[in-house]
């Protein structure tokens, strides 16, 4: 049986944390003295009150969290955070439709970056700060954040860590989950603060520097400017490119890098795949823009490297309308939407490590056809990969493509053309934001009907939690003893 009391206890504590988090943008609203003070104060009060009551009234609950409760908590908490996190937008009247407000908020917490706002710069500073903050909190994962806090209250977190960070090769660089969470957040904070400083050195004001650092490290892509990063100087674009690259790298490797264990980075096969994918496609697109569009070399390189890193890491910032490029380049950009960041990063989509394992397994399948009796294991970082992991990767990719195809049919049934249907599904399922067609880099999702927005919100959720974590809840066997 599911332990409902422990679920309500943990969800109550997490909602309390969300309410307290709203106090920071409330301080920003007070500083700028704009019309969002009341909305943020009321929203924070509602979240803190309900969260505290739920937590306090279930204090006597058995605090044991099984894998079943872990999956339920992780799936529900993203929806709960989005339901309450959308209140400031609705109460302030800046987003009049609750559907639109929920879409904008779950897009933030899942670090998708798909927006319905047509004039971002008209939104008050406090709400813009909260909008960016939803991505920063969601970037490393609400549950990973809680792992450093819940043990204080006697609540173990291993089961939630498994549900929150699924993947073929989890690289925990510390045996204790609480310590792992602290180190992950430590790296996350260091990178965020470093980017703030470097952006301010480039002339960006403190508010914009903090907001963009939040959404860069989360690979989220929300900007405080309608023109996204095209608004800023080439220096700022290069700084953000570097931090998008870091955010899309396995954070365990960042930990090793900070401790000067560079050999572990160089020898890591996933990182080499990640680097050479980015390098190769950047050179290819640079050449086409330089020779084909006759752009200056520096501009060609900057546009190419920014878009390649942004799309591959699923950040979703833009500095150029890539739909105006040659069709060949648009196809490449679309393909990049399926790569994703490294395992153990804040990126979404399929993830580089799965792509690497698929490539290796496919190459070895040719050898197995020639030598049917030979045992030829897939190796990653010189270690044999358990065949069960390969099966899991194949199942994930097949399911991903089935959901992509089925969802494209659903969106096309709403009257959208193939490019727009496929682009919107790929961009939301992969937590990227901008896609192709009617959801390209200079467009948004405001034109979708309400059903379409709720449907795409669901795709964001299952994409962020890598499909199985959410879909397992719809399995009848999940609830059997």
């Amino acid at each position: 049986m599911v332990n409902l009391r422990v679920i309500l206890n943990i969800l109550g504590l997490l909602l309390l944390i969300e309410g307290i988090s709203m106090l920071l943008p409330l301080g920003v609203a007070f500083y700028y003295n704009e019309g969002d003070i009341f909305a943020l104060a009321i929203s924070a009060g509602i979240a803190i009150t309900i969260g505290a009551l739920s937590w306090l009234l279930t204090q006597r609950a058995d605090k044991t969290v099984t894998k079943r409760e872990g999956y339920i908590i992780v799936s529900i908490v993203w929806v709960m955070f989005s339901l309450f996190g959308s209140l400031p937008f609705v109460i302030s009247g800046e987003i009049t439709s609750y559907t639109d407000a929920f879409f904008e908020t779950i897009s933030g917490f899942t670090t998708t970056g798909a927006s319905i706002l047509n004039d971002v710069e008209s939104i008050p500073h406090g709400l813009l700060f909260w909008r960016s903050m939803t991505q920063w909190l969601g970037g490393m994962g609400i549950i990973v954040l809680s792992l450093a806090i819940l043990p204080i209250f006697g609540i173990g977190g291993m089961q939630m860590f498994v549900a929150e960070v699924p993947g073929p090769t989890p690289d925990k660089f510390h045996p204790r989950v609480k310590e792992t969470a602290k180190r992950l957040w430590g790296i996350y904070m260091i990178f965020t603060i470093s980017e703030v400083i470097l952006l301010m050195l480039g002339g960006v004001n403190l508010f914009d520097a903090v907001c963009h650092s939040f959404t860069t490290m989360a690979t989220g892509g929300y900007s405080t400017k309608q023109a996204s990063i095209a608004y800023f100087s080439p220096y700022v674009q290069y700084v953000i490119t570097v931090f998008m690259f870091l955010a899309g790298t396995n954070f365990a490797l960042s930990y090793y890098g900070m401790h000067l264990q560079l050999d572990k980075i160089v020898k890591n096969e996933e990182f080499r795949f990640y680097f050479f994918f980015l390098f190769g496609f950047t050179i290819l697109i640079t050449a086409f823009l330089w020779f084909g569009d006759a752009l200056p070399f520096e501009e060609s390189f900057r546009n190419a490297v920014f878009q390649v890193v942004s799309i591959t890491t699923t950040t979703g910032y833009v500095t150029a309308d890539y739909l105006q490029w040659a069709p060949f380049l648009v196809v490449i950009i679309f393909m990049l939407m399926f790569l994703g960041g490294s395992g153990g990063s804040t990126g979404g989509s399929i993830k580089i490590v799965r792509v690497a394992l698929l490539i290796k397994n496919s190459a070895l399948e040719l050898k197995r056809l020639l030598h049917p009796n030979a045992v030829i294991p897939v190796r990653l970082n010189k270690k044999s990969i358990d065949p069960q992991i390969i099966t899991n990767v194949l199942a994930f990719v097949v399911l991903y493509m089935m959901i992509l195809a089925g969802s494209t049919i659903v969106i096309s049934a709403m009257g959208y053309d193939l490019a727009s249907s496929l682009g919107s599904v790929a961009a939301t399922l992969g937590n990227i934001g901008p896609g192709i067609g009617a959801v390209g880099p200079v467009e948004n999702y405001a034109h979708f009907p309400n059903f379409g927005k709720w449907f795409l919100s669901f795709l964001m959720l299952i994409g962020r939690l890598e499909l199985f974590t959410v879909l397992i809840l719809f399995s009848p066997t999940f609830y059997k003893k």
Side-chain angles (χ1 to χ4, degrees), residues 131-418:
R131 181 173 175 262
S132 299
M133 198 171 170
T134 60
Q135 293 202 324
W136 192 74
L137 291 173
M140 183 56 68
I142 300 165
I143 304 303
V144 176
L145 169 64
S146 70
L147 290 175
I149 299 171
L150 294 183
I152 298 173
F153 301 97
I155 303 171
M158 175 59 80
Q159 288 76 16
M160 286 189 292
F161 184 83
V162 171
E164 166 65 9
V165 194
T169 54
D171 189 359
K172 301 183 184 72
F173 45 80
H174 197 285
R176 296 178 60 191
V177 177
K178 185 176 78 170
E179 293 302 318
T180 297
K182 286 181 178 178
R183 290 166 193 259
L184 286 171
W185 269 96
I187 296 168
Y188 201 52
M189 288 288 293
I190 290 170
F191 281 158
T192 303
I193 294 169
S194 299
E195 185 179 355
V196 170
I197 294 170
L198 289 173
L199 289 179
M200 291 181 70
L201 290 175
V204 180
N205 64 56
L206 177 61
F207 176 81
D208 287 336
V210 171
C211 286
H212 285 92
S213 297
F214 278 176
T215 55
T216 301
M217 290 315 304
T219 62
Y222 273 162
S223 175
T224 57
K225 305 299 179 184
Q226 193 65 35
S228 189
I229 310 305
Y231 175 90
F232 298 102
S233 67
Y235 165 83
V236 170
Q237 294 176 23
Y238 281 122
V239 167
I240 289 177
T241 301
V242 170
F243 281 94
M244 286 192 296
F245 176 82
L246 292 173
T249 304
N250 188 322
F251 271 56
L253 295 184
S254 298
Y255 174 82
Y256 296 139
M258 289 180 178
H259 288 76
L260 301 179
Q261 298 176 4
L262 302 182
D263 58 316
K264 291 188 176 182
I265 299 175
V266 175
K267 294 178 181 178
N268 186 275
E269 282 194 78
E270 182 193 16
F271 179 78
R272 294 207 296 266
F273 268 96
Y274 175 60
F275 178 82
F276 285 114
F277 271 133
L278 295 179
F279 179 79
F281 285 116
T282 294
I283 296 302
L284 181 62
I285 293 177
T286 298
F288 267 82
L289 293 178
W290 188 22
F291 293 110
D293 292 359
L295 293 175
F297 176 78
E298 186 279 329
E299 185 179 351
S300 299
F301 173 75
R302 175 161 41 87
N303 284 341
V305 70
F306 191 95
Q307 265 60 234
V308 167
V309 174
S310 178
I311 296 298
T312 303
T313 61
T314 72
T315 306
Y317 283 142
V318 291
T319 58
D321 184 0
Y322 50 75
L323 293 184
Q324 300 303 314
W325 294 353
F328 170 70
L329 299 184
V330 176
V331 172
I332 289 178
I333 291 293
F334 181 70
M335 288 171 54
L336 293 177
M337 293 181 183
F338 297 94
L339 289 181
S342 305
S345 75
T346 57
S349 199
I350 291 176
K351 296 278 176 61
I352 292 288
V353 65
R354 288 193 178 94
V355 175
L357 289 174
L358 279 177
I359 292 172
K360 283 175 168 285
N361 187 62
S362 298
L364 289 177
E365 199 61 36
L366 298 175
K367 287 187 178 181
R368 294 180 187 127
L369 289 173
L370 294 173
H371 307 284
N373 296 322
V375 178
I376 309 174
V378 177
R379 296 182 182 275
L380 189 69
N381 297 324
K382 298 182 179 179
K383 295 180 181 178
S384 296
I385 301 299
D386 189 326
Q388 183 59 43
I389 292 178
I390 301 299
T391 301
N392 180 275
V393 168
L394 290 170
F396 177 89
V397 174
V398 169
L399 182 59
Y400 194 95
M401 292 304 171
M402 288 174 62
I403 293 173
L404 179 78
S407 300
T408 299
I409 293 172
V410 172
I411 298 299
S412 64
M414 300 178 196
Y416 287 90
D417 59 64
L418 177 61

Side-chain angles (χ1 to χ4, degrees), residues 95 99-118 120 131 134-135 215 219-223 314-317 423-435 438-441 443-448 452-453 456-457 459-460:
I95 301 179
T99 294
D100 285 350
F102 181 86
F103 182 92
E104 193 78 14
T105 308
I106 198 169
S107 178
F109 278 117
T110 58
T111 73
T112 304
S115 180
I116 52 84
L117 296 176
N118 290 310
V120 173
R131 181 173 175 262
T134 60
Q135 293 202 324
T215 55
T219 62
Y222 273 162
S223 175
T314 72
T315 306
Y317 283 142
S424 60
V425 171
T428 50
L429 184 62
N431 303 130
I432 298 160
V439 293
E443 304 292 340
N444 64 21
Y445 292 74
H447 49 76
F448 277 90
K453 289 169 185 170
L456 294 175
S457 295
L459 292 184
M460 294 181 212

